[in-house]
Amino acid sequence: GVNRGCFRRGICAAPGDPHPGRNTPLYYLSADEDLTMRRLMLIGPSQCGKTSLLQAMAGEALHYQKTQAIEWRPSAIDTPGEYLENRCLYSALMTTACEADLVGLVLNADASQTPYAPCFAQVLNRPVIGIISKADLASPADIARVSGWLKNAGATHIFITSASAHEWPGDLLPFLSQE
């Protein structure tokens, strides 16, 4: 793998932090450490939390920022929701996936329907995970429904997150650092 250098290894909260995880990188990395990360491409509908997830993972302050075009980060690729919502743009998703090591299908836990067709992930030619965002806004039944939709679309692992509530699956970043 390639050292993408965006995420840092360590603990989730700074000592004495009244809001653990808020504006605190998930991983700390000293100057002499090296963390190899797989480049993650996020795909999901508009306002499902893709950009917020990347902001939180990088320890940035959460602020709404509409993604207008594909945004390339050292360890992640953020795609606009319109690329998923308009089938004529699927070719851009397929082409961009070639630059990723791993694709994350993102869907908010309170979604009323899925934007993903069954087996959607097969055309991406990359390993695909599912990321349920905004878990703090939904019931366990809603989360189970969305998890089923993501699995049906081809996600092999499901991770449940909430950027605004600073809730992360403890195994997401270690999963991203696997070869």
Side-chain angles (χ1 to χ4, degrees):
V2 176
N3 179 12
R4 308 278 188 200
C6 181
F7 304 121
R8 297 176 277 180
R9 184 173 24 213
I11 58 174
C12 282
D17 186 349
H19 306 286
R22 183 175 297 167
N23 301 328
T24 305
L26 293 178
Y27 281 72
Y28 295 100
L29 182 68
S30 69
D32 59 335
E33 285 184 290
D34 186 22
L35 181 61
T36 302
M37 300 294 288
R38 295 190 283 180
R39 178 178 262 170
L40 174 65
M41 176 181 167
L42 295 182
I43 298 174
S46 296
Q47 299 186 351
C48 73
K50 301 177 299 294
T51 303
S52 295
L53 177 64
L54 292 178
Q55 289 171 351
M57 289 174 69
E60 299 171 8
L62 297 182
H63 62 279
Y64 179 74
Q65 174 184 330
K66 173 68 182 114
T67 304
Q68 299 289 334
I70 295 173
E71 291 186 8
W72 302 84
R73 296 175 180 223
S75 60
I77 303 169
D78 190 4
T79 62
E82 291 79 8
Y83 281 50
L84 174 64
E85 295 161 354
N86 298 299
R87 289 187 180 188
C88 64
L89 298 174
Y90 278 13
S91 60
L93 291 175
M94 290 185 285
T95 303
T96 304
C98 294
E99 298 297 323
D101 300 313
L102 181 69
V103 174
L105 302 181
V106 182
L107 191 55
N108 46 303
D110 60 345
S112 60
Q113 61 186 16
T114 179
Y116 303 109
C119 302
F120 173 84
Q122 288 182 343
V123 300
L124 300 173
N125 200 27
R126 290 290 182 262
V128 175
I129 61 172
I131 301 173
I132 300 174
S133 63
K134 304 181 182 183
D136 56 313
L137 302 177
S139 69
D142 291 336
I143 292 171
R145 184 183 67 246
V146 170
S147 177
W149 288 340
L150 292 171
K151 289 177 183 175
N152 194 35
T156 56
H157 293 82
I158 303 295
F159 299 95
I160 301 170
T161 67
S162 174
S164 65
H166 312 291
E167 295 173 3
W168 321 105
D171 53 348
L172 177 58
L173 290 177
F175 184 84
L176 294 175
S177 65
Q178 293 175 1
E179 291 295 327

